[in-house]
Every structure is written in C-alpha cells, then in structure tokens.
Amino acid sequence: MKKRSVVSIVLFLCLGMFFVLPETASAATKNLEMSQLSVTAATTTSVSLSWKKVNGAYGYYIYRASSKNGTYQKVAGLKKGKIIKYTDTGLSPSKTYYYKARVRYSKKYCKPVKAATKSVSFSDAKPAVTVAVYKSGSRVKWKAVSGATSYRVYRATSSGGSYSRIGTTSSSKLYYTDYSGTSGKTYYYKVRAAKWKSGKYTYSRYCSAVKFRTVSRVFVACGHGTDILGAWDSGCTYKNMSEAGLMLPITKSMVKYLRASGVYVYTDADANNNKNMLACVKWANKKRISAYMSIHCDWRYAPTGTLPLYKSSADKKLAQALNKGVRSNVSIATRGLSYRWDLYELSAPKAPAACIFETGSISKDYKKFKKHDAYGKGLAKGMCSYLGVKFAD
C-alpha cells in the first residue's frame, strides 16, 4: 500500500471518530441524574443557583417557570461540565420563580426548587411609566409602587430641564391626563410615588424621563350655516346649490382625514354646521389649538380658483400649505393668497394661525366642490403639512 493511501485512511478514521464522539457522549450521558439545585443568592432582579458537579456531564440546561407545575422555559444552556453555578437576571422584584435542570443529553430533570426575588424598598422604587394620546390630551400611566399613598406627575420641555409638577393622584389612580400641554409640542414627563407616614412624606425615585409629543389640535369651521341670530344662512347660491350645502361635505371629508392622521379636530361640522361664526371662535378660544380655519366658496360672479385669506405671517404659512394641498389633489386654478385685516375669523381666534379658505366661484367651480372627498383630502394634506404631522391616506 502506498504511503499516501495509508495517511488518507488514518485521517478518515480520525475524522470519523471526531464526528461520532458527540453521539457517543449523548448515549453515555442520557441516564445521568442531575444534582439538586440550591439557591445561593437573590436580588431584586436576579436569582443565583448552584449544584454539585455531575461526573461525565458535558454541560447543563437550566429551566424556569412562574409556578411549580407551570410551563418551564429554558433560560441557560451551559456546555461545560465543570460549570456548577448560574445567575438568572432581568427578573421582577418581589416575585416567586421555580427552577429545574438536567444534564446535557440527559432527559432526567432534578426536582424544582423555589426562589424569590427581593422587594424594592420604597425609597429605591421607581414607577414604570408610559405616555399615550387620550382624546385631546396626553395620558401618563404607571404601575403601582407598593406602599404609595399618592403619586406626583411632572413635566418639562427638555429631558434635563426644570420639571414642574402638573398633577397629583391618589394611590388608586394610576394615571393622569395632561390637557394643558401646547398642541403638537414635545414634552418630557416624570412620575414619583409619595408615602404619608408619621406626619410627613417620603418619596420614591423619579422614573426616567419619558419623551412625548402632544396631539396636534385644530378647529375647522364650515362656512355659513347658522347665522349670528340663530337663523339658517345658506351663503352664496347658484341654481339649486348653496355655499353652506357644498362646503359641509368638504369640511366633513377634511375632518375625517385629519382624525385618521392623528389630529384632534374641533368642528361644527359634526353637528351639520349648527354654530355661527361667533360661537365657533368662542369655542376655539377655549382650546389650546395650533390652527383655526373656516371653509367657504365665493359668489357666482367671482373668478374661478382658490383664494385663501390671511392676516399674519403665521396665517400666511397656513394658507400656503392649505392651498398647495388642495391644488395637489384637485385640478383647480388659484387666485393666489389675499391679505385681509378686517375679517373677524382672522382677528378674533387666539390660535397661532388662522385662515379663511375662500374656495373659488360657486358658479364656475361647483363641479370641483362636488368632488368633496378629494377636496377635503387636499385640505387635510395641507393642514398636516403645516402641523408637521404625517398624513394617513
């Protein structure tokens, strides 16, 4: 036999032994008894375990459950038989767990052992906090802290800024809704628990600052409808059509798309244009909104095309965004933007920006108005663009 052939055979046999060894090890250890686990230490978030080395073991598997007869999940796979301890981390404070283990390749588990994490002292406790939109406000929620008699809620405009207390709740109320935040503004929230004992308060730790952008709030008024005296005002008319009748479905469409995009909308369109101009402005001025707008169309002899009206520079930005949104969605001309200093719905609203969207001629553009869903969608796109809110189609 040639020397090269002998070497090849030896290498083949060695490789064969190498790949067979794990199977041999598995067969040799499948009946090994796992030594009993012992709990050696526990913190608020961890449990430490140890056990006696099992001769012939190629490693160990550790399992955990929340009850003795519950479903056990593998939490560790230790591939060396000389390792005889393990610390399970990321656990919840004041909670009982059960552990069992087996030798690697063996199917025999040891008996379950009970272990409990330590409770957190009140002064070291820290509420777990989340923030989400709730109606027109920001709802701050947290999990209960053992021993608390009340909770304090704080807000700042930057993570490391000065936090002011904005609310206090009882121990049974684990949320606070902030309606005082400016529309569409980013805030940072913190919460801590308080305990009244022996005539004084002690406090838990603050939670980490939670960043949250408040919901954007706007007022959208439908042009005409109920007048100042409470009578019905149809606005301009043409044939069997009226301004109030044409603008209402456009307004409702705009409101629908804004709400789908996460914008909170106050509007008289929900009640079919039942409030007059004075009532709408009064209502809007009680709310912390980002923008006020009123939707109209021009009379029968007006030129075709949109004509957004504005007074301030902020109004102009809103008017430009609305005009762009409509014209990107509907094939309609524009007469540009028009500055007006004399109109109530531009002067009276306390919102940072206001616009009266004068929407073309009733006689020349009514066919476009009747495409109310597309028109309202365009207005909603423009408003979202102005607010910096992602439009949801």
Side-chain angles (χ1 to χ4, degrees), residues 240-277:
N240 63 340
M241 297 172 292
S242 70
E243 180 178 2
L246 288 169
M247 295 302 104
L248 182 57
I250 290 176
T251 306
K252 286 190 173 186
S253 173
M254 180 185 184
V255 169
K256 175 188 71 175
Y257 283 109
L258 284 176
R259 286 173 174 164
S261 301
V263 178
Y264 194 88
V265 185
Y266 302 97
T267 180
D268 61 332
D270 285 340
N272 296 322
N273 200 2
N274 69 333
K275 295 188 183 297
N276 61 53
M277 175 177 63

Short mmCIF file of all heavy atoms in Angstrom, two decimals, residues 240-277:
data_model
loop_
_atom_site.label_atom_id
_atom_site.label_comp_id
_atom_site.label_asym_id
_atom_site.label_seq_id
_atom_site.Cartn_x
_atom_site.Cartn_y
_atom_site.Cartn_z
N ASN A 240 -79.77 75.44 -7.75
CA ASN A 240 -80.33 74.82 -6.53
C ASN A 240 -79.27 74.51 -5.49
O ASN A 240 -79.48 73.71 -4.57
CB ASN A 240 -81.08 73.54 -6.89
CG ASN A 240 -80.16 72.49 -7.49
OD1 ASN A 240 -79.09 72.82 -7.97
ND2 ASN A 240 -80.60 71.23 -7.46
N MET A 241 -78.09 75.16 -5.61
CA MET A 241 -76.97 74.89 -4.70
C MET A 241 -76.72 76.08 -3.78
O MET A 241 -77.03 77.22 -4.12
CB MET A 241 -75.70 74.59 -5.52
CG MET A 241 -75.81 73.35 -6.38
SD MET A 241 -74.38 73.16 -7.49
CE MET A 241 -74.61 74.53 -8.61
N SER A 242 -76.15 75.77 -2.61
CA SER A 242 -75.79 76.83 -1.65
C SER A 242 -74.37 76.61 -1.16
O SER A 242 -73.85 75.48 -1.17
CB SER A 242 -76.75 76.82 -0.46
OG SER A 242 -76.53 75.67 0.35
N GLU A 243 -73.77 77.70 -0.73
CA GLU A 243 -72.41 77.63 -0.17
C GLU A 243 -72.38 76.70 1.03
O GLU A 243 -71.48 75.85 1.16
CB GLU A 243 -71.94 79.03 0.20
CG GLU A 243 -70.55 79.09 0.80
CD GLU A 243 -70.13 80.52 1.11
OE1 GLU A 243 -70.92 81.45 0.91
OE2 GLU A 243 -68.97 80.68 1.59
N ALA A 244 -73.33 76.86 1.95
CA ALA A 244 -73.37 76.03 3.16
C ALA A 244 -73.52 74.55 2.80
O ALA A 244 -72.86 73.68 3.38
CB ALA A 244 -74.52 76.47 4.06
N GLY A 245 -74.36 74.26 1.80
CA GLY A 245 -74.58 72.88 1.41
C GLY A 245 -73.38 72.25 0.73
O GLY A 245 -73.09 71.06 0.93
N LEU A 246 -72.64 73.03 -0.07
CA LEU A 246 -71.47 72.50 -0.76
C LEU A 246 -70.26 72.35 0.16
O LEU A 246 -69.46 71.43 -0.01
CB LEU A 246 -71.11 73.42 -1.94
CG LEU A 246 -72.06 73.39 -3.15
CD1 LEU A 246 -71.73 74.53 -4.11
CD2 LEU A 246 -72.00 72.05 -3.87
N MET A 247 -70.12 73.26 1.11
CA MET A 247 -68.93 73.24 1.96
C MET A 247 -69.01 72.20 3.09
O MET A 247 -67.98 71.74 3.57
CB MET A 247 -68.69 74.62 2.58
CG MET A 247 -68.35 75.71 1.57
SD MET A 247 -66.88 75.32 0.57
CE MET A 247 -67.64 74.86 -1.01
N LEU A 248 -70.22 71.82 3.49
CA LEU A 248 -70.34 70.88 4.60
C LEU A 248 -69.70 69.52 4.29
O LEU A 248 -68.90 69.03 5.10
CB LEU A 248 -71.81 70.70 5.00
CG LEU A 248 -72.05 69.77 6.19
CD1 LEU A 248 -71.30 70.24 7.43
CD2 LEU A 248 -73.55 69.64 6.49
N PRO A 249 -69.99 68.87 3.16
CA PRO A 249 -69.32 67.57 2.89
C PRO A 249 -67.81 67.72 2.71
O PRO A 249 -67.06 66.79 3.04
CB PRO A 249 -70.00 67.07 1.62
CG PRO A 249 -70.66 68.26 1.01
CD PRO A 249 -71.01 69.17 2.13
N ILE A 250 -67.35 68.87 2.18
CA ILE A 250 -65.90 69.10 2.07
C ILE A 250 -65.29 69.17 3.46
O ILE A 250 -64.24 68.56 3.73
CB ILE A 250 -65.62 70.40 1.28
CG1 ILE A 250 -65.98 70.21 -0.19
CG2 ILE A 250 -64.15 70.81 1.42
CD1 ILE A 250 -65.83 71.46 -1.04
N THR A 251 -65.95 69.90 4.35
CA THR A 251 -65.45 70.04 5.73
C THR A 251 -65.42 68.68 6.42
O THR A 251 -64.44 68.32 7.09
CB THR A 251 -66.33 71.01 6.53
OG1 THR A 251 -66.42 72.25 5.83
CG2 THR A 251 -65.74 71.27 7.91
N LYS A 252 -66.49 67.90 6.26
CA LYS A 252 -66.54 66.59 6.90
C LYS A 252 -65.44 65.67 6.36
O LYS A 252 -64.85 64.89 7.11
CB LYS A 252 -67.91 65.96 6.68
CG LYS A 252 -69.01 66.60 7.53
CD LYS A 252 -70.29 65.79 7.46
CE LYS A 252 -71.32 66.33 8.45
NZ LYS A 252 -72.53 65.50 8.52
N SER A 253 -65.17 65.77 5.07
CA SER A 253 -64.10 64.97 4.49
C SER A 253 -62.75 65.37 5.07
O SER A 253 -61.94 64.50 5.42
CB SER A 253 -64.09 65.15 2.96
OG SER A 253 -62.97 64.52 2.39
N MET A 254 -62.50 66.66 5.15
CA MET A 254 -61.23 67.13 5.73
C MET A 254 -61.07 66.62 7.16
O MET A 254 -60.01 66.13 7.54
CB MET A 254 -61.19 68.66 5.71
CG MET A 254 -59.90 69.22 6.29
SD MET A 254 -59.93 71.01 6.41
CE MET A 254 -58.25 71.32 7.00
N VAL A 255 -62.13 66.74 7.94
CA VAL A 255 -62.10 66.30 9.33
C VAL A 255 -61.81 64.81 9.42
O VAL A 255 -61.01 64.35 10.25
CB VAL A 255 -63.42 66.65 10.04
CG1 VAL A 255 -63.50 65.98 11.41
CG2 VAL A 255 -63.56 68.16 10.18
N LYS A 256 -62.43 64.04 8.54
CA LYS A 256 -62.22 62.57 8.53
C LYS A 256 -60.75 62.23 8.32
O LYS A 256 -60.18 61.41 9.05
CB LYS A 256 -63.07 61.95 7.43
CG LYS A 256 -62.87 60.45 7.23
CD LYS A 256 -63.59 59.93 6.01
CE LYS A 256 -62.95 60.41 4.72
NZ LYS A 256 -63.60 59.80 3.51
N TYR A 257 -60.12 62.86 7.34
CA TYR A 257 -58.72 62.57 7.04
C TYR A 257 -57.79 63.09 8.12
O TYR A 257 -56.77 62.45 8.43
CB TYR A 257 -58.34 63.14 5.68
CG TYR A 257 -58.86 62.33 4.52
CD1 TYR A 257 -59.89 62.81 3.72
CD2 TYR A 257 -58.34 61.07 4.23
CE1 TYR A 257 -60.39 62.06 2.65
CE2 TYR A 257 -58.82 60.31 3.18
CZ TYR A 257 -59.85 60.81 2.39
OH TYR A 257 -60.33 60.06 1.35
N LEU A 258 -58.11 64.21 8.72
CA LEU A 258 -57.27 64.73 9.80
C LEU A 258 -57.31 63.79 11.00
O LEU A 258 -56.27 63.49 11.60
CB LEU A 258 -57.75 66.13 10.22
CG LEU A 258 -57.38 67.28 9.29
CD1 LEU A 258 -58.00 68.59 9.80
CD2 LEU A 258 -55.87 67.45 9.17
N ARG A 259 -58.47 63.32 11.35
CA ARG A 259 -58.60 62.42 12.50
C ARG A 259 -57.90 61.09 12.22
O ARG A 259 -57.28 60.51 13.13
CB ARG A 259 -60.07 62.21 12.84
CG ARG A 259 -60.68 63.44 13.51
CD ARG A 259 -62.18 63.33 13.70
NE ARG A 259 -62.69 64.48 14.47
CZ ARG A 259 -63.97 64.82 14.54
NH1 ARG A 259 -64.89 64.10 13.90
NH2 ARG A 259 -64.33 65.88 15.25
N ALA A 260 -57.97 60.64 10.99
CA ALA A 260 -57.27 59.40 10.63
C ALA A 260 -55.75 59.59 10.72
O ALA A 260 -55.02 58.61 10.92
CB ALA A 260 -57.65 58.97 9.22
N SER A 261 -55.29 60.83 10.60
CA SER A 261 -53.86 61.14 10.69
C SER A 261 -53.42 61.45 12.11
O SER A 261 -52.27 61.80 12.35
CB SER A 261 -53.53 62.33 9.78
OG SER A 261 -53.86 62.04 8.44
N GLY A 262 -54.34 61.32 13.07
CA GLY A 262 -53.99 61.53 14.48
C GLY A 262 -54.14 62.95 14.96
O GLY A 262 -53.71 63.29 16.07
N VAL A 263 -54.78 63.82 14.17
CA VAL A 263 -55.02 65.21 14.58
C VAL A 263 -56.35 65.27 15.34
O VAL A 263 -57.34 64.67 14.92
CB VAL A 263 -55.04 66.15 13.36
CG1 VAL A 263 -55.33 67.59 13.79
CG2 VAL A 263 -53.72 66.07 12.60
N TYR A 264 -56.37 66.02 16.45
CA TYR A 264 -57.62 66.17 17.21
C TYR A 264 -58.35 67.40 16.66
O TYR A 264 -57.81 68.50 16.67
CB TYR A 264 -57.35 66.33 18.70
CG TYR A 264 -58.60 66.15 19.53
CD1 TYR A 264 -58.98 64.90 19.98
CD2 TYR A 264 -59.41 67.23 19.83
CE1 TYR A 264 -60.14 64.72 20.71
CE2 TYR A 264 -60.57 67.07 20.57
CZ TYR A 264 -60.93 65.80 21.01
OH TYR A 264 -62.09 65.63 21.73
N VAL A 265 -59.58 67.19 16.16
CA VAL A 265 -60.32 68.26 15.47
C VAL A 265 -61.57 68.65 16.25
O VAL A 265 -62.39 67.80 16.59
CB VAL A 265 -60.72 67.81 14.06
CG1 VAL A 265 -61.38 68.98 13.31
CG2 VAL A 265 -59.51 67.30 13.28
N TYR A 266 -61.68 69.96 16.50
CA TYR A 266 -62.93 70.54 16.97
C TYR A 266 -63.63 71.11 15.74
O TYR A 266 -63.01 71.79 14.92
CB TYR A 266 -62.68 71.66 17.97
CG TYR A 266 -61.90 71.25 19.20
CD1 TYR A 266 -60.53 71.46 19.28
CD2 TYR A 266 -62.54 70.68 20.30
CE1 TYR A 266 -59.80 71.10 20.40
CE2 TYR A 266 -61.83 70.30 21.43
CZ TYR A 266 -60.46 70.52 21.47
OH TYR A 266 -59.75 70.15 22.58
N THR A 267 -64.92 70.85 15.57
CA THR A 267 -65.61 71.33 14.39
C THR A 267 -67.11 71.37 14.58
O THR A 267 -67.68 70.52 15.27
CB THR A 267 -65.28 70.46 13.16
OG1 THR A 267 -65.96 70.96 12.01
CG2 THR A 267 -65.65 69.01 13.40
N ASP A 268 -67.74 72.37 13.96
CA ASP A 268 -69.20 72.42 13.96
C ASP A 268 -69.78 71.48 12.90
O ASP A 268 -70.99 71.26 12.86
CB ASP A 268 -69.68 73.85 13.72
CG ASP A 268 -69.24 74.42 12.37
OD1 ASP A 268 -68.18 73.99 11.87
OD2 ASP A 268 -69.95 75.28 11.83
N ALA A 269 -68.93 70.94 12.06
CA ALA A 269 -69.42 70.02 11.01
C ALA A 269 -69.95 68.73 11.59
O ALA A 269 -70.78 68.06 10.96
CB ALA A 269 -68.29 69.73 10.01
N ASP A 270 -69.49 68.35 12.78
CA ASP A 270 -70.00 67.12 13.41
C ASP A 270 -71.51 67.21 13.65
O ASP A 270 -72.20 66.20 13.66
CB ASP A 270 -69.28 66.87 14.74
CG ASP A 270 -67.87 66.34 14.55
OD1 ASP A 270 -67.57 65.82 13.45
OD2 ASP A 270 -67.06 66.47 15.49
N ALA A 271 -71.99 68.44 13.87
CA ALA A 271 -73.42 68.65 14.11
C ALA A 271 -74.05 69.38 12.92
O ALA A 271 -75.01 70.14 13.06
CB ALA A 271 -73.64 69.45 15.39
N ASN A 272 -73.49 69.16 11.73
CA ASN A 272 -74.03 69.71 10.48
C ASN A 272 -74.10 71.22 10.46
O ASN A 272 -75.13 71.81 10.09
CB ASN A 272 -75.40 69.09 10.17
CG ASN A 272 -75.31 67.60 9.93
OD1 ASN A 272 -74.36 67.12 9.31
ND2 ASN A 272 -76.28 66.85 10.44
N ASN A 273 -72.98 71.84 10.86
CA ASN A 273 -72.86 73.29 10.73
C ASN A 273 -73.90 74.04 11.56
O ASN A 273 -74.61 74.93 11.07
CB ASN A 273 -72.97 73.68 9.24
CG ASN A 273 -72.39 75.04 8.96
OD1 ASN A 273 -71.86 75.69 9.84
ND2 ASN A 273 -72.50 75.48 7.72
N ASN A 274 -73.97 73.70 12.84
CA ASN A 274 -75.02 74.26 13.68
C ASN A 274 -74.57 75.46 14.52
O ASN A 274 -75.33 75.95 15.35
CB ASN A 274 -75.57 73.18 14.62
CG ASN A 274 -74.56 72.77 15.69
OD1 ASN A 274 -73.35 72.87 15.46
ND2 ASN A 274 -75.05 72.31 16.83
N LYS A 275 -73.32 75.91 14.33
CA LYS A 275 -72.83 77.04 15.13
C LYS A 275 -72.45 78.20 14.21
O LYS A 275 -71.89 77.99 13.14
CB LYS A 275 -71.63 76.63 15.98
CG LYS A 275 -71.97 75.60 17.05
CD LYS A 275 -70.79 75.37 17.98
CE LYS A 275 -71.14 74.29 18.99
NZ LYS A 275 -72.25 74.68 19.87
N ASN A 276 -72.72 79.41 14.66
CA ASN A 276 -72.35 80.56 13.86
C ASN A 276 -70.89 80.93 14.09
O ASN A 276 -70.20 80.34 14.92
CB ASN A 276 -73.28 81.75 14.16
CG ASN A 276 -73.20 82.18 15.62
OD1 ASN A 276 -72.11 82.44 16.14
ND2 ASN A 276 -74.33 82.26 16.29
N MET A 277 -70.44 81.93 13.35
CA MET A 277 -69.04 82.35 13.38
C MET A 277 -68.60 82.76 14.79
O MET A 277 -67.53 82.35 15.25
CB MET A 277 -68.88 83.53 12.42
CG MET A 277 -67.53 84.18 12.40
SD MET A 277 -67.49 85.49 11.16
CE MET A 277 -68.72 86.63 11.80
#
